[in-house]
Structures are given as structure tokens and as C-alpha cells.
């Protein structure tokens, strides 16, 4: 067996997006892998069949990678699957009849349909999609002659958010709700307006009689400024005016109707002047203006998704808890009962965050099943135990030697608060030897790390580093107060939490105290640059990946600038309180920087735009601090294509090796 190596990225696979059929006896899932020729992710759609106890009977490939299937959903009788694929680079809705396995295109779509929802009788499908509008043009230009090769047209905008990370430059238009008839492909646009009329990526629900559609939207013209706002709406499926069910400032979204159609469970919460709006589970009657009660009050954890139990007396909620994803049955009186569903896991792959994919129907849970030594497989559980498992990496993992993963808990030097973390050891770890230590810090900052495999940490460990990763305050899964403990102070005591973990681990005899390294991406890049400013003598070298370096710049040029301003910098504007912005910005510590620092950022990162990386690189070089900047052409915030993840990982290893005291 060999240790993890860079090319393994093109040999492994990962399960995502499991969907349980209405009868609870079949599971659709996506098998993602990375093609070394095209250097792109590819998705196959698979179908697993279960027996009455949830054991695996067989599985088959339904849609090959060439179709790029996504968003698959079963028809109510379970005989057909609707999904969105791509034909000649254009989005296409397909219906696949399971009886013959043939995927037939349905209608023509100009933009990608999202959140497919079958009507109860299986005759129609609702979806959200963008309707493009004419782009702005500068008047007076002469006509372009036939075949002329002019410079590309300018991008002209009057929007606050004119580019979105990952999606690219925003094309003018608005998201609308549609219904398509499955037999005739007749398509009806149910909403209209110049601004988004639906949160196209959010759940769409048919009323039980098939007459109306329930969905979320923030319809104000100031939507770009109101990231934490969404209301519930009901519109007749045959066309007509939409009725607004909720209007409170805050998020009411991901609405699920109770089996009798009389109640709505939704996820969200009121808007508040704090850093993190923890998504909670709410219950209301399905009528306009009905008051809502918070069902998840006793849980104090972020709710990721919710499904009604068949008897309508409880809601099954998926939530983050101390680095992992769990399931709770929440009664309509708010009583919380844990449901045993083992090892639900993350599908981020690049880094070990929790989350993952999951589905439920008729007592069957299907989920991305996490491992510490390989990417997620498929898990199926019934009655509190795992009944089926598909490991899409069994062959590959059998030839690999992975390092041990250990959970640690330390007390923060700031106030004694518990900080959870993990240590990943090199595959051939020998406690009698000395090892360099990498502290890797997650971003978000309201996200988490958990006990999962990731290609980044697998590579660091395989190259002989002990990897420390923790959940400092600001992380999710430890209660709302913990996630909000950075309100008005980011960075602040989260830095102390991280340093407490480093100091504790550095006491272990196998850690080479001369070779402590610090890295992190995005929000983790903030804390990396903050770390080398606050503790200039602690770390041998640093690697800040796609960092925020200057909160004023971030507010002005990021696609989440409005969130930064309203929630992360206490509602103060950079022009009103520039000192507050400066004091929280890593660049304010530039005078203290002396640690050799690597910067890695995508040139198409619109979340933490590369101007910030350039700012820090300039400061380091002007000060004479050793620095290297790695720019990834066309890569967005998520580091883009597989080879770009590898470049980012290997750049960090190369930099740390360069500076390691031998
Ligand atoms: C709409 S506010 C949420 C911001 C978002 N949070 C989720 O991750 C985000 O993109 N934050 C970045 C500044 C960030 O730190 N991203 C991390 C975690 O995803 C990263 O590693 O890229």
C-alpha cells in the first residue's frame, strides 16, 4: 500500500445528492469523479434498489457522465425521474422512465431549470429559472461589419452584485417560476417582474390538491442589500396573483407542507444585528399572516434540511453538531429526539467540512456516508442502524495507507472555553520521531471542520506533516452563542482559540517546535494573516489562501459585500467608521509581519477578490518579508478545476518545505 499522492485525486470518486424514492425502496445518487484529460469533475447518476429492510439488492448506472445530470427527483409514483442535463453545452430538462431506462428531453430551456418539483398527480413539473433581459449597451456605436473581429463588448452594469463567485458575471434578467406539462411540454411562466420573483435554488412545494405552489422569494428591489431576507409565497399553478404568506424581516425559506397540507415547516429566522443568523426550524399554519413558532429552540443547532414524518406529527431535521451532521425528530411541541443515522458526512472533498447530502422517505434515510480515509460513499439506514453501504472507493482505498485521526479538546487561553479539533498523523507515524505541524484554519467563518477525509489534509499528512484542524469560536455546531461569539470581534478571541490548540499540541514530544506552520483559506486566510501579525515569532512559514485582508475592500468589491457590511462589521459602513474596518483587517498588522508567507488565490475569485491578495503581497515585498504569490487563472473562490486544487495544495507543501528547519 502507498501513501496518498497528488494523482489520486483523479482516481477517487465521491457520492453526492442521495434521493429516496417515495416508496423508500430505491435511492438515486450521484457518483462524482475527476477526469484527468478534461481536468473537470464529472457526475454519473446511479440507482440503488433496496429490500423491505433497507438492504442493497442491486445498483445500476442510469445516466452516464456525458449528460452532466443534476437535480434529479422521483415522480410521485416513483416510476420516472426528472433531471437537468446538458446538450451541446445548453441546459435540458429530461424525463427518464425507469421501465425502459431511456432519458427523453422535455421542452427547450434557455437557462437551467432549478429545484424541480413534480405535481402530486405526476402530470406537471414546477421549476425556477432565470429569464434573461436585454443587456445595457452604449449608444452611438457604429454597426459591427459582418465577420469583423472587434474587442469583446464591454460589461455594463447598474447592479450592486454584478459578478457572483463561481457563477461569473451576472447576466441581466430575473428568476421566475415555471410549470411544464410532462405530456405536451407546454410551459407556463407563473411569475413576472424585473427583479427575482423566486429564490430559484430553494425548495418548491405543491399544495396537496395540485392547485398551488409554495416557494420563497425576496421580491423587493433592494434584494442585493437584503441577503438575510426571504418570504413565503403561494401562487396558483394555473396562473394568477401570488399571495404573500410571510413578510417578517428575516428568512422564511425551504418550506415543507405537512402531509395534510395544513401546516408549513420552514427554515430560517428573524433578521437580527449579529454576525450569524442560525437557521432554525419553524412551524406555522399554511395561511397568510399566521404566526410561527420556533420548533428547534431546544436543539440550538443550525438546521440544514427538514422533512415531515409520514404521520404529520413530527419533522425530521438534519443539523450540524460538533463537526458532524445528525438527524433529530422534532415533535410539534418542540420535543427533540435524536435519530441514529451513522456517519453522515461531508462532500466538500477539498477540505473536511461537515454537511453532506441526505434524503428521507418511508423510514429510509439515504446519506453521504463519511470516512476518515476516503471520500464519502452511500449509506442507507432504517430503524436506527445502517442497512446498506456503497463504497465507491473500496478498490482504490485498499491500496492506500492513511494516517490516524485523533479528536482533541483544549481550553481556550481567552476564557477557558472548550475548543474541539482533530489531529491527522502521517501514515507511517513514529512517536519517537519529530514532525512539523501544520495548523489549518477553516473559513466561513460560520462553517466547521469535522472528522472526515479531505484531499488537502491527506496530502499534507502523506508528505510528513502532522495536521491540526479545529473549530474556534465562530464555528457552527456548538450553539448559536458560540457561532456569534465573534460578533464585533472578528478576528479576536478566535485567534486565541487557535493558538491554544497549537500550544497544547506543540507540547507533545513528537512535535518539532521549530517547525510550526499556519495556513487557512478565505476566513481561514484572515486568521492566518492575523496569526502571523499577533505572533510574529511562532510560525516558521505561513500560507494564506484566498484571504480577506482588508474589510473595506472586501465590502466594496466582494459578491457578499452587503453581508460583510451589515453583519460582520456591526452594521457600520466603511466610510463612516474606517478605523473600525482597519482595526479588524489583517493588513493593519503589516508592520509586525516577518514570517515567510505564501498567497494563493484564483484570478476569478469574486468572493475574496484577488486585489486583497495583491495588497498583502505588496506589503510583504515592500517590507522585505519573503513572499510568494500563486495566481490561478480563471479559478473562482473554490479553487476551480481539480488541477488547481492540486496546485494550491502542492504550493503550500513546497513553501513549507522550503522554510522548514532541517
Ligand atoms: C452569505 S455570507 C456567507 C459567506 C460564505 N460562507 C460560507 O462559507 C463565504 O463564502 N465565506 C468566505 C469568506 C469563506 O471564508 N469561505 C470559506 C468557507 O467556505 C472557504 O474556505 O472558501
Amino acid at each position: 500500500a502507498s501513501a496518498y499522492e497528488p494523482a489520486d485525486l483523479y482516481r477517487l470518486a465521491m457520492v453526492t445528492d442521495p434521493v429516496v424514492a417515495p416508496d423508500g425502496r430505491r435511492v438515486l445518487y450521484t457518483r462524482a469523479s475527476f477526469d484527468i484529460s478534461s481536468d473537470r469533475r464529472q457526475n454519473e447518476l446511479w440507482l440503488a434498489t433496496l429490500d423491505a429492510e433497507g438492504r442493497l439488492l442491486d445498483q445500476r448506472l442510469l445516466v452516464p457522465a456525458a449528460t452532466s445530470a443534476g437535480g434529479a427527483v422521483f415522480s410521485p409514483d416513483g416510476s420516472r425521474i426528472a433531471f437537468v442535463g446538458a446538450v451541446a453545452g445548453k441546459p435540458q430538462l429530461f424525463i427518464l422512465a425507469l421501465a425502459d431506462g431511456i432519458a427523453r428531453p422535455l421542452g427547450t430551456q434557455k437557462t437551467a431549470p432549478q429545484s424541480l418539483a413534480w405535481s402530486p398527480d405526476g402530470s406537471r413539473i414546477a421549476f425556477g429559472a432565470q429569464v434573461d433581459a436585454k443587456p445595457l449597451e452604449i449608444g452611438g456605436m457604429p454597426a459591427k461589419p459582418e465577420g469583423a473581429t472587434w474587442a469583446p463588448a464591454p460589461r455594463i452594469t447598474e447592479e450592486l452584485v454584478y459578478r457572483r463567485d463561481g457563477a461569473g458575471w451576472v447576466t441581466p434578467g430575473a428568476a421566475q417560476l415555471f410549470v411544464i406539462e410532462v405530456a405536451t411540454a407546454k410551459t407556463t411562466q407563473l411569475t413576472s417582474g424585473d427583479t427575482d420573483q423566486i429564490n430559484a435554488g430553494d425548495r418548491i412545494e405543491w399544495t396537496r390538491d395540485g392547485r398551488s405552489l409554495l416557494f420563497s422569494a425576496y421580491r423587493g428591489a433592494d434584494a442585493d442589500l437584503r441577503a438575510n431576507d426571504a418570504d413565503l409565497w403561494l401562487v396558483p399553478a394555473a396562473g394568477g396573483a401570488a399571495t404573500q404568506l410571510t413578510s417578517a424581516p428575516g428568512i422564511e425559506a425551504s418550506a415543507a407542507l405537512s402531509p395534510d397540507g395544513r401546516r408549513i415547516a420552514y427554515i430560517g429566522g428573524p433578521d437580527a444585528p449579529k454576525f450569524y443568523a442560525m437557521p432554525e426550524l419553524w412551524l406555522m399554519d399554511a395561511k397568510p399572516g399566521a404566526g410561527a413558532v420556533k420548533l428547534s429552540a431546544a436543539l440550538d443547532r443550525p438546521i440544514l434540511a427538514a422533512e415531515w414524518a409520514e404521520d404529520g406529527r413530527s419533522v425530521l431535521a438534519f443539523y450540524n453538531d460538533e463537526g458532524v451532521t445528525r438527524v433529530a425528530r422534532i415533535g410539534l411541541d418542540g420535543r427533540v429526539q435524536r435519530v441514529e443515522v451513522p456517519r453522515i458526512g461531508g462532500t466538500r472533498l477539498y477540505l473536511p467540512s461537515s454537511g453532506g447530502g441526505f434524503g428521507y422517505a418511508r423510514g429510509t434515510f439515504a446519506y453521504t456516508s463519511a470516512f476518515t480515509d476516503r471520500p464519502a460513499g452511500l449509506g442507507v439506514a432504517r430503524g436506527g442502524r445502517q442497512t446498506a453501504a456503497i463504497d465507491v472507493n473500496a478498490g482504490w482505498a485498499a491500496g492506500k495507507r492513511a494516517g490516524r485521526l485523533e479528536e482533541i479538546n483544549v481550553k481556550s487561553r481567552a476564557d477557558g472555553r472548550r475548543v474541539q479539533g482533530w489531529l491527522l498523523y502521517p501514515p507511517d507515524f513514529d512517536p519517537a520521531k519529530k514532525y512539523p505541524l501544520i495548523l489549518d484554519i477553516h473559513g466561513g467563518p460560520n462553517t466547521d471542520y469535522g472528522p472526515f477525509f479531505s484531499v488537502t489534509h491527506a496530502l499534507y499528512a502523506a508528505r510528513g506533516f502532522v495536521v491540526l484542524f479545529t473549530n474556534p469560536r465562530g464555528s457552527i455546531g456548538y450553539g448559536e452563542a458560540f457561532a456569534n461569539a465573534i460578533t464585533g470581534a472578528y478576528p479576536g478571541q478566535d485567534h486565541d482559540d487557535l493558538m491554544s490548540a497549537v500550544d497544547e499540541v506543540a507540547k507533545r514530544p513528537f512535535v518539532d517546535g521549530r517547525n510550526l506552520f499556519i495556513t487557512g483559506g478565505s476566513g481561514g486566510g484572515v486568521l492566518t494573516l492575523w496569526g502571523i501579525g499577533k505572533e510574529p515569532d511562532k510560525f516558521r512559514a505561513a500560507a494564506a489562501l484566498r484571504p480577506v485582508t482588508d474589510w473595506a475592500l472586501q465590502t466594496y468589491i466582494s459578491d457578499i459585500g452587503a453581508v460583510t457590511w451589515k453583519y460582520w462589521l456591526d452594521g457600520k459602513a466603511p466610510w463612516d467608521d474606517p478605523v473600525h474596518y482597519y482595526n479588524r483587517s489583517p493588513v493593519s498588522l503589516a508592520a509586525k509581519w516577518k514570517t515567510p508567507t505564501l498567497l494563493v488565490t484564483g484570478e476569478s475569485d469574486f468572493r475574496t477578490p484577488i486585489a486583497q491578495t495583491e495588497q498583502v503581497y505588496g506589503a510583504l515585498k515592500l517590507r522585505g518579508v519573503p513572499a510568494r504569490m500563486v495566481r490561478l487563472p480563471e479559478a473562482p473562490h473554490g479553487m476551480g478545476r481539480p488541477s488547481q486544487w492540486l496546485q494550491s495544495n502542492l504550493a503550500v507543501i513546497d513553501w513549507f518545505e522550503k522554510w522548514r528547519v532541517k
Side-chain angles (χ1 to χ4, degrees), residues 348 351 443-445 447 521-523 546 560 563 568 607-608 637:
R348 194 168 171 202
L351 289 166
T447 64
S522 197
R546 54 192 188 285
I560 57 163
V563 175
W568 294 6
R607 180 62 40 94
T608 55
H637 194 62

Side-chain angles (χ1 to χ4, degrees), residues 73 114-120 125-128 177-179 190 198-199 202-216 232-237 245 253-266 286 306-308:
V73 275
Q114 289 180 267
S115 312
L116 309 181
W118 288 84
S119 62
I125 295 170
F127 61 87
L177 175 62
F178 294 83
V179 165
L190 294 180
I198 175 170
N199 289 343
D202 192 27
R203 180 176 183 142
I204 301 171
E205 186 96 328
W206 288 79
T207 52
R208 302 288 165 233
D209 59 9
R211 289 193 179 165
S212 303
L213 288 150
L214 175 65
F215 59 97
S216 75
L232 297 180
W233 294 79
L234 198 63
V235 71
L245 297 186
S254 306
L257 273 170
S258 59
D260 65 8
R262 289 167 46 196
R263 288 174 159 142
I264 295 171
Y266 71 82
E307 296 293 341
W308 282 87

Side-chain angles (χ1 to χ4, degrees), residues 94-451:
F94 285 96
I95 305 292
L96 185 147
L98 288 169
D100 61 15
I102 297 172
R104 296 173 174 84
L106 180 66
T108 50
Q109 292 83 36
K110 290 195 182 117
T111 59
Q114 289 180 267
S115 312
L116 309 181
W118 288 84
S119 62
D121 64 359
S123 67
R124 292 158 293 166
I125 295 170
F127 61 87
Q130 152 114 348
V131 174
D132 287 337
K134 205 169 151 331
L136 290 172
E137 278 174 12
I138 298 169
M141 285 293 288
K144 184 172 154 187
E146 184 84 26
T149 50
W150 284 14
R155 295 189 176 97
I156 309 168
T157 188
E158 295 181 356
E159 306 295 326
L160 170 65
V161 181
Y162 50 88
R163 51 185 189 176
R164 284 188 198 284
D165 187 64
W169 300 98
V170 170
T171 48
Q176 308 291 352
L177 175 62
F178 294 83
V179 165
I180 185 165
E181 283 178 13
V182 176
T184 63
K186 184 183 161 214
T187 305
T188 310
Q189 184 178 330
L190 294 180
T191 56
S192 58
D194 293 342
T195 59
D196 288 349
Q197 300 297 298
I198 175 170
N199 289 343
D202 192 27
R203 180 176 183 142
I204 301 171
E205 186 96 328
W206 288 79
T207 52
R208 302 288 165 233
D209 59 9
R211 289 193 179 165
S212 303
L213 288 150
L214 175 65
F215 59 97
S216 75
Y218 177 74
R219 290 185 162 189
D222 58 347
D224 276 354
L225 285 168
R226 304 281 288 268
N228 282 359
D229 234 311
D231 303 311
L232 297 180
W233 294 79
L234 198 63
V235 71
T243 305
Q244 188 165 4
L245 297 186
T246 65
S247 56
I251 296 179
E252 299 96 44
S254 306
L257 273 170
S258 59
D260 65 8
R262 289 167 46 196
R263 288 174 159 142
I264 295 171
Y266 71 82
I267 299 173
D271 195 18
K274 55 189 177 187
F275 203 103
Y276 177 54
M278 187 168 82
E280 304 206 67
L281 183 66
W282 297 78
L283 180 73
M284 63 177 278
D285 287 340
K287 47 187 183 206
V293 291
K294 195 198 289 183
L295 278 192
S296 59
L299 194 60
D300 193 22
R301 293 289 186 268
I303 306 295
L304 302 170
E307 296 293 341
W308 282 87
E310 281 77 8
D311 64 6
R313 290 163 63 176
S314 59
V315 178
L316 294 154
F318 295 82
Y319 63 97
N320 290 116
D321 182 39
E322 302 202 353
V324 298
T325 299
R326 299 191 194 282
V327 184
R329 183 182 293 278
I330 307 185
L332 302 191
D333 56 359
R335 224 165 57 92
V336 176
Q337 220 188 325
R338 182 82 185 269
V339 179
E340 280 307 325
V341 179
R343 295 194 313 193
I344 301 178
T347 45
R348 194 168 171 202
L349 189 63
Y350 179 48
L351 289 166
S353 298
S354 70
F358 27 75
Y360 168 83
R362 295 215 171 263
T364 300
F365 290 92
Y367 47 93
T368 55
S369 166
F371 299 90
T372 56
D373 64 347
R374 67 196 79 181
L378 179 75
V380 176
R382 285 184 64 86
R385 60 183 193 90
Q386 182 155 315
T387 54
I390 294 174
D391 180 357
V392 290
N393 291 295
W396 169 77
K400 289 282 136 190
R401 264 186 354 265
R404 185 168 68 88
L405 188 72
E406 177 195 332
E407 180 182 329
I408 59 162
N409 285 279
V410 301
K411 274 189 180 170
S412 173
R413 71 184 186 191
D415 53 9
R417 236 181 241 252
R418 176 174 78 101
V419 180
Q420 189 184 26
W422 293 268
L423 281 176
L424 180 65
Y425 291 88
D428 298 315
F429 178 73
D430 175 353
K433 290 189 178 154
K434 292 272 188 200
Y435 290 88
L437 177 80
I438 296 180
L439 167 70
D440 178 32
I441 310 165
H442 74 68
N446 302 128
T447 64
D448 65 359
Y449 273 158

